Amino acid sequence: MKTSMDKSPGWLRGVQIGLGILVVILSIYALAYPGAAFVSLVLILGIILFIVGIEKIVSGIFLPIKGRWATIGLGILVLIFAGLVIAFPGFATWIITVFIGIALLFSGAASIAQAFSGRESGWKKAFLIGVGALLIILGIMVLASPVFGAQFAGFVIAIGLLIAGIQMIAVGATGRKMIPDSSITK
């Protein structure tokens, strides 16, 4: 697929750089306060789910769809759970953190089980065992201290935001279009 290497318009470059700087600043804040960043993310997701619940209820009431009552009922459940997340973001963060810890334990156990499945040997087996052990240790740490788990999750999210912000700034600064141009014919 061909990509256009023409320069982006100046206003678009300015927007990309400005938004990239904003994302980098927010990611630095998230790196400084990773636990608060994770709680904030959970709260934002609760608000999004609240809006989704309202949409499901409205769709079930006003649109002629199959499973109207199921849609309305599930929308009400989403609304209830979203309301609980919004009302108790700390508790919701704790629950999510516990699920992350359990997932890390299962993932680590699966990695170790794969290493001993008989098909792996040498460095690959050692790597699978090492990764599995690391995941199990992280899982235990997250379950032993959900505060650590929330901070760890917030830290990972902050690093992702930092990388995305730097990419936005770089794209804006170079002015190169990074998205394939659909106007180019093959």
Side-chain angles (χ1 to χ4, degrees):
M1 181 177 285
K2 294 181 181 181
T3 58
S4 174
M5 294 306 286
D6 300 331
K7 293 274 185 182
S8 297
W11 68 267
L12 179 60
R13 295 174 66 189
V15 169
Q16 289 172 322
I17 292 170
L19 291 175
I21 290 169
L22 181 63
V23 170
V24 167
I25 290 169
L26 289 173
S27 69
I28 291 169
Y29 175 80
L31 282 170
Y33 305 102
F38 189 60
V39 172
S40 298
L41 180 64
V42 169
L43 184 59
I44 290 168
L45 289 174
I47 293 167
I48 291 168
L49 284 174
F50 193 82
I51 293 167
V52 168
I54 291 171
E55 185 276 332
K56 290 297 175 195
I57 293 169
V58 170
S59 295
I61 293 171
F62 293 108
L63 294 179
I65 56 174
K66 289 185 179 180
R68 169 181 301 225
W69 294 109
T71 302
I72 293 170
L74 291 172
I76 291 170
L77 284 176
V78 169
L79 212 56
I80 291 168
F81 283 117
L84 289 172
V85 168
I86 293 168
F88 306 104
F91 181 71
T93 301
W94 177 78
I95 293 288
I96 292 169
T97 304
V98 168
F99 284 146
I100 289 171
I102 292 169
L104 287 168
L105 287 176
F106 283 137
S107 183
S111 183
I112 292 172
Q114 182 182 355
F116 290 109
S117 68
R119 293 183 289 174
E120 313 302 341
S121 63
W123 68 268
K124 190 172 182 181
K125 183 175 186 172
F127 184 75
L128 285 169
I129 292 170
V131 167
L134 179 62
L135 289 173
I136 288 173
I137 291 169
L138 276 173
I140 291 170
M141 289 173 65
V142 167
L143 290 173
S145 174
V147 172
F148 166 78
Q151 289 177 341
F152 179 70
F155 179 77
V156 170
I157 291 166
I159 294 295
L161 285 173
L162 183 63
I163 292 168
I166 291 170
Q167 178 192 14
M168 290 169 72
I169 293 169
V171 168
T174 61
R176 301 286 183 187
K177 292 182 181 176
M178 301 301 281
I179 300 173
D181 191 349
S182 61
S183 66
I184 297 176
T185 57
K186 294 180 183 178

